[in-house]
Amino acid sequence: MIISIANLKGGVGKTTTTLNLGATLSERGVKVLLVDTDPQASLTIYCGFDLREINSKSLYNAIRNYCFNRYKVNTYDFIINTNIANVDLIPSTPDLFNAELEMNSLMNRESVLKNILNQVKNSYDFIIIDCPPSKSMLTINSLTASDKVIIPVATDYLSLWGARIMIETIEDVRDSNNKNLEIAGILPTMYDKRTSMSKDSLDVIKENFNGMVLDIVINNTVKFRYSSIENTSIINYSKNCNEANSYRKLAERFLYDREK
């Protein structure tokens, strides 16, 4: 199963969700590949990699090889191991900004990532894609390659607009490139139960996206910042905290869907 984590607004917990969903899935013994499609490379940095030392093992180079070798590429050449058991990564670098220019001249440019991942998808139980916060060709490629999308939405009023545009983008991709793409749900993030703003915002999110909002809420906690400083997941940093258990609950949903 290929899952995109996407919202056209930044700072809503996409990268945090990508890493921690991958970690909680791997905790159950399944094999996970993370794919960083954001040129800002936050997921790659979160996993503890120095962008200056990645060299040729990056998504940009995978796309570049695909473009210049007549749609042929060995995807395994661009996968690196992380410090989380059963979790691998196709990393990003700022060079990925150039990928859109190189894809523009291709036939079926929306399917480049899908074709790159097709080579390895049978080697992993789950592939999770961290999307950039923009309606770019990289985002369109991610959605075209995916079976499902999670839309993280921070519990503030501004995040509603990013989610609305994201849903419109998903509908466009369904119409043009991937008719089977499903919205797995809207995931409320950065929730602070101490503030009325978070509570009111969560109510507004539920009202605006009736039936799409997951019954899982990711709390705002400094533990995420500390875990990112240590380049590890929340379950490794604080195994039994509420936030780790929330991501476990999210992982259970996908494990159940895969077994149906």
Side-chain angles (χ1 to χ4, degrees), residues 116-156:
I116 288 171
L117 294 180
N118 274 345
Q119 283 194 34
V120 300
K121 69 179 183 179
N122 291 331
S123 298
Y124 294 91
D125 299 288
F126 292 92
I127 297 176
I128 308 175
I129 305 171
D130 186 20
C131 297
S134 61
K135 191 175 180 179
S136 64
M137 186 51 58
L138 290 165
T139 297
I140 301 302
N141 262 259
S142 300
L143 297 175
T144 300
S146 296
D147 302 303
K148 297 179 184 290
V149 189
I150 296 173
I151 306 173
V153 177
T155 46
D156 63 60

Side-chain angles (χ1 to χ4, degrees), residues 46 221-228 234 237-238 241-243:
Y46 200 161
T221 173
V222 72
K223 292 173 186 175
F224 285 124
R225 293 176 190 165
Y226 287 130
S227 67
S228 68
I234 194 71
Y237 180 78
S238 182
C241 68
N242 290 334
E243 295 72 32

Side-chain angles (χ1 to χ4, degrees), residues 5-177:
I5 313 298
N7 190 324
L8 300 187
K9 184 180 185 301
V12 297
K14 292 189 302 296
T15 299
T16 298
T17 295
T18 302
L19 180 66
N20 288 293
L21 176 58
T24 49
L25 285 167
S26 72
E27 194 178 38
R28 295 292 301 274
V30 299
K31 194 163 186 183
V32 178
L33 174 65
L34 307 180
V35 183
D36 192 350
T37 64
D38 188 348
Q40 296 179 76
S42 296
L43 177 62
T44 303
I45 296 167
Y46 200 161
C47 289
F49 294 101
D50 186 330
L51 302 185
R52 297 166 296 184
E53 298 177 358
I54 288 173
N55 298 320
S56 62
K57 284 186 173 289
S58 69
L59 180 59
Y60 170 66
N61 281 294
I63 292 172
R64 193 166 183 271
N65 273 255
Y66 179 89
C67 293
F68 287 98
N69 292 325
R70 298 185 178 183
Y71 313 139
K72 294 179 181 178
V73 63
N74 183 358
T75 308
Y76 291 98
D77 288 343
F78 305 95
I79 294 174
I80 58 180
N81 303 122
T82 73
N83 60 8
I84 304 171
N86 296 319
V87 177
D88 294 336
L89 171 71
I90 298 179
S92 176
T93 57
D95 290 344
L96 192 56
F97 280 113
N98 300 321
E100 301 219 8
L101 294 174
E102 296 180 10
M103 289 190 288
N104 275 339
S105 62
L106 298 180
M107 295 285 289
N108 299 318
R109 58 182 180 168
E110 299 87 357
S111 299
V112 171
L113 183 60
K114 178 180 180 179
N115 294 332
I116 288 171
L117 294 180
N118 274 345
Q119 283 194 34
V120 300
K121 69 179 183 179
N122 291 331
S123 298
Y124 294 91
D125 299 288
F126 292 92
I127 297 176
I128 308 175
I129 305 171
D130 186 20
C131 297
S134 61
K135 191 175 180 179
S136 64
M137 186 51 58
L138 290 165
T139 297
I140 301 302
N141 262 259
S142 300
L143 297 175
T144 300
S146 296
D147 302 303
K148 297 179 184 290
V149 189
I150 296 173
I151 306 173
V153 177
T155 46
D156 63 60
Y157 293 111
L158 292 176
S159 293
L160 289 173
W161 295 102
R164 285 196 183 103
I165 300 169
M166 190 70 245
I167 290 170
E168 291 173 4
T169 303
I170 290 167
E171 290 170 351
D172 290 343
V173 170
R174 279 181 184 149
D175 291 340
S176 56
N177 306 312

Side-chain angles (χ1 to χ4, degrees), residues 187-224:
L187 177 68
T189 60
M190 301 182 178
Y191 183 75
D192 188 345
K193 62 184 179 183
R194 300 169 299 176
T195 68
S196 59
M197 179 176 288
S198 271
K199 294 175 184 177
D200 292 345
S201 296
L202 181 57
D203 288 340
V204 171
I205 291 167
K206 289 178 178 177
E207 288 170 10
N208 279 264
F209 303 105
N210 186 33
M212 299 175 65
V213 182
L214 297 170
D215 60 351
I216 300 163
V217 176
I218 307 300
N219 293 329
N220 190 15
T221 173
V222 72
K223 292 173 186 175
F224 285 124

